[in-house]
């Protein structure tokens, strides 16, 4: 994994050859030093790094999902913690994925088809599906079937419904898993799994499981069929933490983790009091990884989180910056991983599938296994975990499996802001309080989507308007299609 990453150095040659100006003179117009097709190894390396970075960067994660879901809070410049999101954030997320990552993964799919490399095609399909799922879980209805089709002169793509997007990406993931030949053609430049196609196949199926479970309230019959197929014991899904889809950043800029980069010049973020209070009550050993002790004051021996949604004045009155808990050093390190999906998540889905009657098994056992897997990610095992699981406050409650799973999944998904936000919207647990001083745009509620970027109102107005008519007002409080309860 690391060899390919360092060797390629994340460079992406994007030069495109000029078209021949006169038919019959093509050979004279081809410059061998200026290729018309990018090297797929360089495209893949750059696309993985740039888009995973974007997922965990400020607009979507640090000022987005992590604040909304109350993993983090802000101690200064608190607008986003009060749900006053910047218009530039909406635009940055949208433009970044559509103009960058999705185009790159589309190109890899095309090259895989053109060069008869189904493994490359599969990797492109999996990553494109991943980031389309991110976009639709942030905004709802989005351009999908007509997106990325500039070569067809489609400049104003229609918005597909979220139901259509989900059907498309689930189908693409099924196709991708079927394309993969574990001992087939090499995929060079892969930083995520170093070209290990067995891992890619497990990731495709595990991601499909995530998206199928997202449908449980919107299309329960489809969800049940998909989940039962994926958890039939023969379909490969994540089977240990070694299968986790996570991108390890490097120690040297510009390839360092975005949280580390942010900390070089900013000191706005702290751990949310919602998280520190809950984990302290549960005596959860992960708190020592998720948060740092305050650097000064009488609370230095404890963890002191910040309430979400303080005004700037209230945050300033809260005390010296050093008197509250910063985000844990593990997550702020230059080489901290960007986690896309984990074994723990698969086990939580398995527990929920059993509880819902989709498959047979012991939900309580899989629930405990999921917590053990999460603990193991951070080096906790043995007596620490056994003692934790023995607490009545942690024990699985079959009478309210959504609360048991939702509460613990929220803890396990720490740092994965967008995914934690999605699962909170789906499961409705944990029960979070609204920010202390929310802005009017939130109508006194925790946001359940982001607004469409302003440029869509001018550059793609008709299609955006149709989406709003179908989905509902372009507000932070308009529920997504799959968020039924």
């Amino acid at each position: 994994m690391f060899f390919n990453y360092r060797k390629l150095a994340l460079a992406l040659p994007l030069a495109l050859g000029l078209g021949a100006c006169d038919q019959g003179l093509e050979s004279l117009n081809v410059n061998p030093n200026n290729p018309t097709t990018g090297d797929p190894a360089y495209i893949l390396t750059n696309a993985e790094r740039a888009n995973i970075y974007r997922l965990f960067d400020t607009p979507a994660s640090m000022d987005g999902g992590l604040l909304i879901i109350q993993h983090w809070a802000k101690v200064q410049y608190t607008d986003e913690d009060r749900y006053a999101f910047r218009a530039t954030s909406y635009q940055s997320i949208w433009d970044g994925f559509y103009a960058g990552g999705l185009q790159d993964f589309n190109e890899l799919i095309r090259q895989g088809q053109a060069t008869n490399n189904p493994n490359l095609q599969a990797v492109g399909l999996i990553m494109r599906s991943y980031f389309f799922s991110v976009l639709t879980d942030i905004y709802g209805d989005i351009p999908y079937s007509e997106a990325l089709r500039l070569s067809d002169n489609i400049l104003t793509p229609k918005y597909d419904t979220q139901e259509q997007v989900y059907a498309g990406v689930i189908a693409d993931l099924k196709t991708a898993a079927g394309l993969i030949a574990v001992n087939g053609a090499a995929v060079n430049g892969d930083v995520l799994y170093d070209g290990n196609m067995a891992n890619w196949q497990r990731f495709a199926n595990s991601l499909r499981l995530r998206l199928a479970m997202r449908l449980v309230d919107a299309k329960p019959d489809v969800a049940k069929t998909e989940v039962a197929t994926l958890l039939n014991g023969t379909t490969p899904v994540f089977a240990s933490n070694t299968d986790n889809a996570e991108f390890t950043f490097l120690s040297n800029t510009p390839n360092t983790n975005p949280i580390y980069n942010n900390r070089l010049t900013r000191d706005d973020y702290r751990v949310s009091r919602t998280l520190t209070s809950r984990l302290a009550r549960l005596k959860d050993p992960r708190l020592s990884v998720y948060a740092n002790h305050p650097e000064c004051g009488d609370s230095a021996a404890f963890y002191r989180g910040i309430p979400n949604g303080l005004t700037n004045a209230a945050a300033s009155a809260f005390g010296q910056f050093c008197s509250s808990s910063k985000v844990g050093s593990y997550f702020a390190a230059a080489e901290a991983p960007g986690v896309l999906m984990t074994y723990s998540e698969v086990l939580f889905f398995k527990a929920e599938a059993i509880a819902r009657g989709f498959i047979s098994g012991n939900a309580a056992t899989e629930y405990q296994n999921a917590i053990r897997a999460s603990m193991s990610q951070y080096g906790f095992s043995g007596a620490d975990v056994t003692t934790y699981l023995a607490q009545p406050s942690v024990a699985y409650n079959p009478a309210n499996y959504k609360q048991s799973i939702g509460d613990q999944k929220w803890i396990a998904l720490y740092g994965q802001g967008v995914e934690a936000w999605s699962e909170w919207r789906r499961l409705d647990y944990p029960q979070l309080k609204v920010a202390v001083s929310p802005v009017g745009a939130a109508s006194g509620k925790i946001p359940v989507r982001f607004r469409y970027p302003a440029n869509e109102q001018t550059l793609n107005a008709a299609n955006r308007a149709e989406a709003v008519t179908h989905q509902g007002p372009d507000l932070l409080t308009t529920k997504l299609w799959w968020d039924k309860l």
Side-chain angles (χ1 to χ4, degrees):
M1 173 177 174
F2 302 110
F3 172 77
N4 284 341
Y5 193 15
R6 297 176 192 278
K7 181 177 179 181
L8 290 168
L10 303 173
L12 174 62
L14 296 176
L16 298 176
L18 295 174
C21 59
D22 187 12
Q23 188 174 4
L25 298 178
E26 289 90 346
S27 61
L28 296 179
N29 285 309
V30 174
N31 180 354
N33 297 315
N34 194 23
T36 58
T37 301
D39 183 334
Y42 287 105
I43 295 174
L44 179 56
T45 301
N46 182 76
E48 287 179 344
R49 182 265 172 196
N51 291 286
I52 294 171
Y53 187 103
R54 183 172 293 116
L55 177 62
F56 293 98
D57 201 7
T58 304
S61 187
M62 287 182 263
D63 271 357
L66 288 171
L67 297 179
I68 294 169
I69 202 62
Q70 297 178 23
H71 282 167
W72 291 11
K74 295 196 80 171
V75 74
Q76 60 175 337
Y77 308 113
T78 63
D79 287 353
E80 291 82 6
D81 206 9
R82 301 174 58 215
Y83 315 141
F85 304 106
R86 301 167 196 263
T88 52
S89 291
Y90 303 141
Q91 196 71 54
S92 173
I93 298 167
W94 185 277
D95 290 351
F97 286 125
Y98 273 114
L102 293 172
Q103 290 284 6
D104 288 341
F105 296 126
N106 232 28
E107 173 63 12
L108 292 172
I109 295 167
R110 187 196 69 78
Q111 289 201 31
Q113 294 169 327
T115 61
N116 195 28
N117 185 342
N119 283 345
L120 179 63
Q121 183 184 349
V123 169
L125 280 169
I126 294 165
M127 294 305 288
R128 187 180 72 178
S129 297
Y130 188 95
F131 287 106
F132 264 130
S133 76
V134 168
L135 279 166
T136 191
D137 286 348
I138 291 175
Y139 296 101
D141 294 359
I142 56 169
Y144 176 67
S145 60
E146 290 186 356
L148 317 177
R149 293 178 59 185
L150 291 174
S151 61
D152 297 328
N153 201 35
I154 297 178
L155 304 180
T156 54
K158 70 175 184 179
Y159 283 57
D160 294 87
T161 67
Q162 186 170 64
E163 180 177 4
Q164 292 169 331
V165 176
Y166 260 75
V169 295
I170 287 173
D172 278 350
L173 289 168
K174 185 176 181 179
T175 297
L179 284 170
I180 289 173
V182 172
N183 297 312
V187 175
N188 297 316
D190 170 27
V191 187
L192 203 61
Y193 284 126
D194 199 20
N196 185 318
M197 297 312 299
N199 282 343
W200 275 105
Q201 191 171 58
R202 284 189 285 269
F203 182 31
N205 292 327
S206 299
L207 179 57
R208 185 175 151 207
L209 174 63
R210 172 195 282 180
L211 301 184
M213 287 298 289
R214 206 88 92 214
L215 305 181
V216 291
D217 295 322
K219 300 193 79 170
D221 291 342
V222 172
K224 181 177 181 179
T225 300
E226 286 285 327
V227 170
T229 298
L230 290 161
L231 295 178
N232 61 12
T234 60
T235 302
V237 294
F238 288 171
S240 73
N241 278 329
T242 60
D243 297 332
N244 291 352
E246 56 182 46
F247 182 98
T248 301
F249 289 92
L250 301 183
S251 59
N252 298 320
T253 55
N255 304 321
T256 48
N257 182 286
I259 299 173
Y260 169 83
N261 289 340
N262 178 273
R263 296 305 185 273
L264 294 176
T265 57
R266 308 292 305 181
D267 190 24
D268 303 350
Y269 303 98
R270 294 295 185 271
V271 180
S272 169
R273 176 172 286 183
T274 306
L275 186 101
T276 57
S277 297
R278 184 178 295 258
L279 269 62
R281 287 197 306 271
L282 294 175
K283 300 179 178 61
D284 194 314
R286 288 169 290 188
L287 181 55
S288 64
V289 178
Y290 291 179
N292 286 348
H293 288 290
E295 297 166 354
C296 69
D298 57 7
S299 60
F302 306 98
Y303 296 97
R304 188 183 188 222
I306 294 288
N308 285 92
L310 299 176
T311 63
N312 284 319
S316 178
F318 197 77
Q320 295 177 280
F321 284 178
C322 61
S323 67
S324 52
S325 289
K326 294 183 179 181
V327 174
S329 298
Y330 173 92
F331 292 90
E335 299 181 64
V339 179
L340 302 185
M341 193 169 184
T342 66
Y343 175 49
S344 174
E345 187 179 347
V346 169
L347 290 171
F348 277 122
F349 286 135
K350 190 173 182 180
E352 184 180 348
I354 295 169
R356 290 181 179 274
F358 291 179
I359 60 173
S360 61
N362 189 312
T365 297
E366 300 303 339
Y367 165 82
Q368 290 193 349
N369 288 341
I371 296 172
R372 289 183 186 278
S374 174
M375 293 280 192
S376 179
Q377 281 180 253
Y378 304 107
F380 299 107
S381 61
D384 285 340
V385 182
T386 301
T387 300
Y388 180 79
L389 292 172
Q391 299 179 96
S393 54
V394 176
Y396 176 75
N397 179 10
N400 193 347
Y401 65 87
K402 289 178 68 175
Q403 181 175 15
S404 292
I405 293 171
D407 286 355
Q408 281 295 324
K409 183 175 277 191
W410 176 78
I411 297 172
L413 286 172
Y414 181 80
Q416 296 171 247
V418 174
E419 182 55 26
W421 183 26
S422 293
E423 282 298 273
W424 171 78
R425 286 176 284 174
R426 183 179 73 85
L427 291 167
D428 300 306
Y429 286 100
Q431 294 181 332
L432 303 175
K433 294 181 180 180
V434 177
V436 174
S437 300
V439 296
S443 301
K445 299 178 182 179
I446 297 175
V448 292
R449 67 180 289 273
F450 273 178
R451 299 184 62 193
Y452 292 124
N455 280 4
E456 285 293 288
Q457 299 182 42
T458 54
L459 301 179
N460 197 12
N463 288 315
R464 176 196 169 278
E466 185 176 348
V468 171
T469 299
H470 169 263
Q471 180 169 265
D474 187 17
L475 301 173
L476 299 174
T477 53
T478 297
K479 285 193 170 188
L480 304 187
W481 164 75
W482 53 251
D483 185 10
K484 296 297 185 185
L485 302 180

